[in-house]
């Protein structure tokens, strides 16, 4: 049985380990997670290990952050599987520490938090439009995680593309001195993006959940064929999702990849040099799944 | 001529010096200032030097933070005297580095900032009530200063008592791992608290500005004599200020020292174990001066 990494439950203990690693000249890399680890997370850990280098230091944080769940969302139901997570990390290897604080450690003055970190405008569309307060919860908790774990670099999954864009802006604007790396989405053989929430799906829902990635492939194909009208690309995605009887579309959007604002026409120039994000959120029953892809436009179509 | 401390203009340069000092096991102490240094600031520097220890590292930051000034306040007029400040620090000795970033370095995405750090409720009274947005500017910039300078400890003047209370809460709640120390108010022989804004005063205003500290001494004396009614204590302060013809009172308040909420009656028990803050803000012409004192109540009066 491989050895589990040491688990820190307090900010002080985590900071002490981080400070010692920094003082020893090691490169610190953080993988923030909410636990319920799957192969997508383990891909982030491998990337973290590689980025840290042989004598670097990799921390995985495991914290189901209450402030990024809205009323009626699945905070209570969200899977908490720390034992299995530690076994998976032991098996995978290459993890130096796990930071697994309680809510009381992370929010010592109770909830809602008195201190919050906000990012203007970048949360107006996509998930931000349908999950009010979500990204303020994310920026606040990641600030705390960065302060506790003191990484040089942190690895996030590209599946939460809006989260990554917002965290990039936050990290740059506050001057954290932390480099952010987005890891490509890890998918099942049929294309479904790995997610801790996939375990909520019935067999029938699971089979139909392939429509998210199919919709994104259809959007890419349309752009490849010269489509530059955002409404038409959204329509393509919507038609794909509508083909699954159990699917209920929450949003299918095309935004520029930097400011995350909706566009009418995709162009190789402004606003973001031809980089766009196609993203969608789809419910199967109570289970909400998201997926996205980058659309690159090099000519006017 | 004593040697001036080295000046860092970028976050990266400051972080590199802080990281090297941390890696060498030195204790880092920060004194955040807006420059225009006076003897009160130099007292903070001496306290910082003492707290850092012989082989510690003291940084003084000098930044006139635009986001903590409101419309119509004195951001443009605020004295900027970096050359004189560096000479004063060289003369005082004991400073290892000065962090003097431009607004462009501190707010690389322009103003207003996209990312802000907010503290709930603690800014509802005192200066927070009359300077909307001020403390959000303070918490945001001090977050940036802490991230750039990476101190173990920071020294603030007790003159900005509400600022210190808010920063204590912010530092604790975000888990910065930074210890905050409040240095007692430094005063002129006649009692006027030292402030960079005192230089705005005419001779006549300067002479009358003594009423701020006189009002606080009168509040202390009233409590000493058994007064426990907050309105009566406020009335005592107001009467003192009214005796100065050039003075225009903005507020005179009595709040509990932790939550900074107004109280009706001072009590040795709740809400804050008998610790209260008497604070006032007074205009002389366009010049706004503040001062405060802690009122300790050990019996019901």
């Amino acid at each position: 049985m491989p050895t589990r990494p040491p688990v820190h439950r307090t900010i002080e203990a985590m900071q002490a380990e981080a400070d010692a690693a920094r003082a020893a000249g090691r490169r610190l890399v953080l993988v923030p997670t909410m636990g319920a680890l799957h192969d997508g997370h383990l891909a982030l850990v491998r990337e973290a290990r590689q980025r840290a280098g042989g004598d670097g230091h990799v921390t995985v944080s495991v914290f189901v952050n209450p402030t990024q769940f809205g009323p009626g969302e699945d905070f209570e139901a969200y899977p908490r599987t720390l034992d299995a997570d530690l076994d998976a990390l032991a098996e995978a290897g290459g993890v130096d520490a796990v930071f697994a604080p309680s809510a009381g450690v992370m929010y010592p003055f109770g909830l809602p938090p008195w201190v919050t970190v906000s990012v203007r405008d970048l949360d107006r569309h996509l998930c931000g439009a349908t999950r009010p307060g979500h990204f303020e919860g994310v920026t606040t908790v990641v600030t705390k995680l960065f302060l506790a774990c003191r990484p040089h670099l942190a690895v996030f999954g590209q599946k939460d593309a809006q989260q990554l864009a917002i965290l990039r802006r936050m990290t740059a604007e506050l001057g954290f001195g932390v480099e952010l790396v987005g890891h490509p989405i890890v998918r099942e053989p049929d294309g479904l993006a790995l997610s801790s929430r996939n375990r909520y799906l019935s067999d029938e829902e699971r089979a139909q959940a392939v429509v998210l990635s199919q919709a994104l492939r259809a959007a890419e194909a349309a752009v490849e064929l010269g489509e530059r009208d955002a409404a038409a690309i959204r329509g393509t995605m919507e038609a794909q999702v509508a083909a699954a009887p159990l699917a209920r579309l929450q949003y299918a959007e095309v935004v520029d990849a930097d400011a995350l604002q909706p566009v009418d026409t995709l162009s190789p120039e402004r606003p973001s040099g031809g980089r766009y994000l196609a993203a969608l959120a789809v419910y199967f029953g109570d289970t909400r799944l998201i997926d996205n892809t980058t659309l690159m436009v090099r000519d006017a179509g």
Side-chain angles (χ1 to χ4, degrees), chain A residues 5-300:
Chain A
V7 179
H8 298 299
R9 299 285 189 174
T10 68
I11 289 169
E12 294 72 18
M14 187 64 235
Q15 285 173 339
E17 168 145 354
D19 283 350
R22 276 186 171 258
R26 300 171 74 182
R27 184 164 173 80
L28 279 72
V29 177
L30 171 66
V31 182
T33 82
M34 297 207 299
L37 301 182
H38 51 61
D39 286 347
H41 294 111
L42 298 180
L44 303 185
V45 171
R46 283 192 297 276
E47 166 118 33
R49 186 72 255 166
Q50 191 182 334
R51 299 261 182 180
D55 66 345
H57 181 285
V58 173
T59 297
V60 175
S61 66
V62 176
F63 180 59
V64 184
N65 172 34
T67 67
Q68 70 192 72
F69 290 81
E73 291 188 1
D74 58 342
F75 173 66
E76 297 296 339
Y78 199 88
R80 288 156 172 88
T81 60
L82 185 61
D83 265 334
D85 293 344
L86 293 173
D87 285 340
L89 293 175
E91 185 71 38
V95 175
D96 297 283
V98 169
F99 180 49
S102 66
V105 161
M106 289 299 271
Y107 296 100
F109 300 97
L111 294 175
W114 280 60
V115 182
T116 51
V117 179
S118 308
V119 172
R120 191 159 55 90
D121 291 358
L122 287 168
D123 64 354
R124 272 173 44 206
H125 298 283
L126 308 176
C127 293
T130 50
R131 303 185 72 187
H134 169 68
F135 285 113
E136 188 169 275
V138 168
T139 48
T140 301
V141 79
V142 172
T143 293
K144 291 168 182 263
L145 292 173
F146 281 2
L147 292 174
C149 302
R150 299 183 171 167
H152 296 95
L153 186 147
V155 182
F156 292 86
Q158 185 67 40
K159 185 163 79 69
D160 300 297
Q162 187 177 17
Q163 167 177 285
L164 181 56
I166 285 174
L167 291 176
R168 279 192 197 286
R169 172 59 73 101
M170 179 191 88
T171 304
E173 180 148 348
L174 287 184
F176 263 102
V178 178
E179 182 184 348
L180 266 55
V181 169
H183 188 83
I185 298 174
V186 180
R187 298 180 180 282
E188 301 281 5
D190 71 352
L192 176 65
L194 296 197
S195 165
S196 303
R197 292 186 169 103
N198 290 350
R199 68 187 72 185
Y200 298 153
L201 299 171
S202 71
D203 289 350
E204 206 176 358
E205 288 169 340
R206 167 65 190 83
Q208 294 185 22
V210 69
V211 292
L212 281 90
S213 60
Q214 286 175 341
L216 294 171
R217 298 299 85 76
E220 291 167 354
V223 170
E224 190 71 24
L225 290 170
E227 185 62 73
R228 296 293 180 268
D229 180 59
I233 298 167
R234 288 200 308 270
T236 299
M237 293 194 284
E238 288 161 6
Q240 288 282 336
V241 174
L246 297 175
R248 181 165 53 86
L249 182 70
Q250 187 181 46
Y251 69 77
E253 285 201 56
V254 178
V255 298
D256 76 270
D258 287 339
L260 305 185
Q261 303 303 309
V263 294
D264 293 329
T265 306
L266 280 63
S267 132
E269 289 112 34
R270 333 173 15 258
S272 58
R275 286 181 64 247
Y276 296 88
L277 188 73
L280 72 177
V282 178
Y283 276 98
F284 288 90
D286 290 337
T287 304
R288 182 176 177 277
L289 303 180
I290 59 173
D291 203 349
N292 70 83
T293 191
T294 301
L295 301 176
M296 290 297 302
V297 172
R298 291 198 180 74
D299 57 52

